Amino acid sequence: MKKSWIVPLVFTVILIAMISLVAQFLKGNDKPKVIIVLKRLDIEYWKAFEAGAKKAFRDFDIDGTVTAPASIYPITNQANLLKKVLKQHPDALIVAPTHIQVANPVLMEYKKQHIPVFLTATDVEWEYQASYIGTDNFTLGKTAGELLGSMLQPGDQVAILLGKIDDQAMIDQKNGAKKILEDAGITVVAEPVGYDRLGNPKPVLENVLQDYPNLKGVVATSDRLALEALKAVEEKELKISIVGTDGLTDMVESVKTGELSATVAHNPYDMGYLSVEQAYKAIKGDTIGKRVDSGIEIITHDNAKERLDFLKKILH
């Protein structure tokens, strides 16, 4: 009878141990949940963004996911994906909007559920956004214009290859480049749209060269268009300066080998990292900036190898 207290004691110890284990398990799974919805994930630019975001997920111990529609068309694809993501009840949403008017009704549902929405890559100034993280695309365009202008003379003719007429980021880049070039006395003779309705680059520079055989320079609002332009220039054995705006591997390779003298670059890796960092701060109740600039880099022969090494590291 004297030892009857042992059984309850052992039971109590076991119960305390089990409660402790359950508490540790629940604590270990109590990570903030952040979901990123991008425009696409099948090209290098967005893969670099994803790499930066995943690095931030690890650094801040976040339960994070990066996703995108299977295709950017039809334009309802991203909105439909956002509806599915909402059912997962994330603590924060980061989205690179393709068509804000189409996405707006879904994003308003996030607002109603008090889920902060961060916009990235394309600044559409949605009034309820928690923050915008990305490049100032007008400034990027101005930088591209300044770079091209430094290779030319007043009176020279140039073309600006616009990616898509409904992509605000590319429109801002075009406007920034055009202002700087025209202020320098350089004539913008053509502004053709370089992508078809399915997002594939079109060989538009050949037509521009037929109309303006004295063309001296090109600003392209994406590296895919810049590389198409470079191909056309090489085929005709012309000397035309070309500046892109993404800083992707093939473009940087062209700078490294001397086919191009320089180009301008977004920093999508930093954009991805900073987007997650801002979302994490918001979830924790910390102060966040309404605009976070992910920066611009000018790639020349001197730093091309360093850029290529970095891209190889994050993409492979």
Side-chain angles (χ1 to χ4, degrees):
M1 293 296 294
K2 293 181 180 180
K3 294 183 179 181
S4 61
W5 55 272
I6 294 178
V7 173
L9 177 62
V10 170
F11 177 79
T12 301
V13 170
I14 292 173
L15 182 61
I16 292 172
M18 290 178 65
I19 292 172
S20 177
L21 286 171
V22 170
Q24 289 181 25
F25 175 80
L26 292 175
K27 183 178 180 180
N29 284 272
D30 188 25
K31 296 181 179 181
K33 186 173 185 177
V34 176
I35 299 181
I36 302 176
V37 177
L38 300 179
K39 297 181 181 183
R40 55 197 303 177
L41 272 170
D42 59 339
I43 60 175
E44 185 180 305
Y45 183 94
W46 294 112
K47 289 177 181 177
F49 186 108
E50 180 183 30
K54 287 185 173 180
K55 176 66 164 60
F57 290 156
R58 295 191 295 271
D59 287 354
F60 298 109
D61 196 25
I62 289 172
D63 177 10
T65 303
V66 182
T67 186
S71 171
I72 58 175
Y73 295 103
I75 62 174
T76 53
N77 277 0
Q78 189 183 61
N80 290 335
L81 178 57
L82 287 168
K83 291 177 184 176
K84 293 178 181 178
V85 168
L86 181 60
K87 294 177 181 178
Q88 300 178 44
H89 305 291
D91 296 303
L93 171 74
I94 299 168
V95 58
T98 52
H99 295 84
I100 191 64
Q101 297 86 351
V102 179
N104 180 64
V106 189
L107 295 180
M108 289 301 296
E109 293 300 316
Y110 283 83
K111 179 182 179 297
K112 290 177 183 177
Q113 296 189 27
H114 306 289
I115 299 171
V117 176
F118 295 80
L119 300 189
T120 185
T122 301
D123 185 9
V124 293
E125 296 186 358
W126 186 59
E127 62 178 312
Y128 300 110
Q129 66 191 41
S131 178
Y132 167 72
I133 305 95
T135 305
D136 183 324
N137 284 291
F138 187 80
T139 300
L140 178 66
K142 288 173 63 176
T143 305
E146 289 169 355
L147 181 58
L148 182 62
S150 70
M151 307 173 194
L152 305 177
Q153 300 295 326
D156 283 346
Q157 296 180 341
V158 302
I160 301 177
L161 306 185
L162 176 62
K164 290 175 285 187
I165 58 174
D166 59 352
D167 189 310
Q168 191 60 49
M170 292 182 176
I171 292 170
D172 290 344
Q173 290 171 27
K174 182 205 74 170
N175 291 339
K178 186 175 182 178
K179 174 172 174 45
I180 289 296
L181 290 165
E182 291 183 338
D183 287 350
I186 294 167
T187 305
V188 179
V189 295
E191 303 173 31
V193 176
Y195 287 117
D196 64 22
R197 65 183 185 84
L198 297 177
N200 299 313
K202 300 186 295 185
V204 296
L205 191 60
E206 290 91 335
N207 295 331
V208 175
L209 289 171
Q210 287 178 7
D211 295 334
Y212 302 97
N214 294 320
L215 196 76
K216 298 299 182 183
V218 172
V219 172
T221 58
S222 80
D223 279 0
R224 294 178 75 196
L225 294 181
L227 292 165
E228 283 289 328
L230 179 61
K231 188 189 305 180
V233 167
E234 288 178 336
E235 287 174 356
K236 294 181 181 297
E237 298 182 345
L238 298 172
K239 290 187 177 180
I240 296 178
S241 300
I242 301 171
V243 174
T245 55
D246 293 330
L248 304 183
T249 298
D250 289 344
M251 199 71 177
V252 180
E253 282 280 7
S254 297
V255 174
K256 181 173 178 288
T257 58
E259 295 173 275
L260 299 174
S261 57
T263 194
V264 181
H266 284 270
N267 289 308
Y269 179 89
D270 292 347
M271 201 182 297
Y273 190 98
L274 292 170
S275 296
V276 174
E277 182 179 41
Q278 290 301 301
Y280 178 76
K281 286 182 177 180
I283 293 168
K284 294 299 181 183
D286 296 339
T287 302
I288 58 173
K290 291 299 292 182
R291 296 184 64 85
V292 178
D293 192 343
S294 54
I296 299 167
E297 187 175 357
I298 295 177
I299 308 298
T300 65
H301 181 75
D302 293 337
N303 63 355
K305 183 180 184 304
E306 180 182 352
R307 176 82 175 191
L308 287 170
D309 289 344
F310 174 72
L311 290 172
K312 182 178 180 180
K313 178 181 177 181
I314 65 172
L315 296 172
H316 302 287

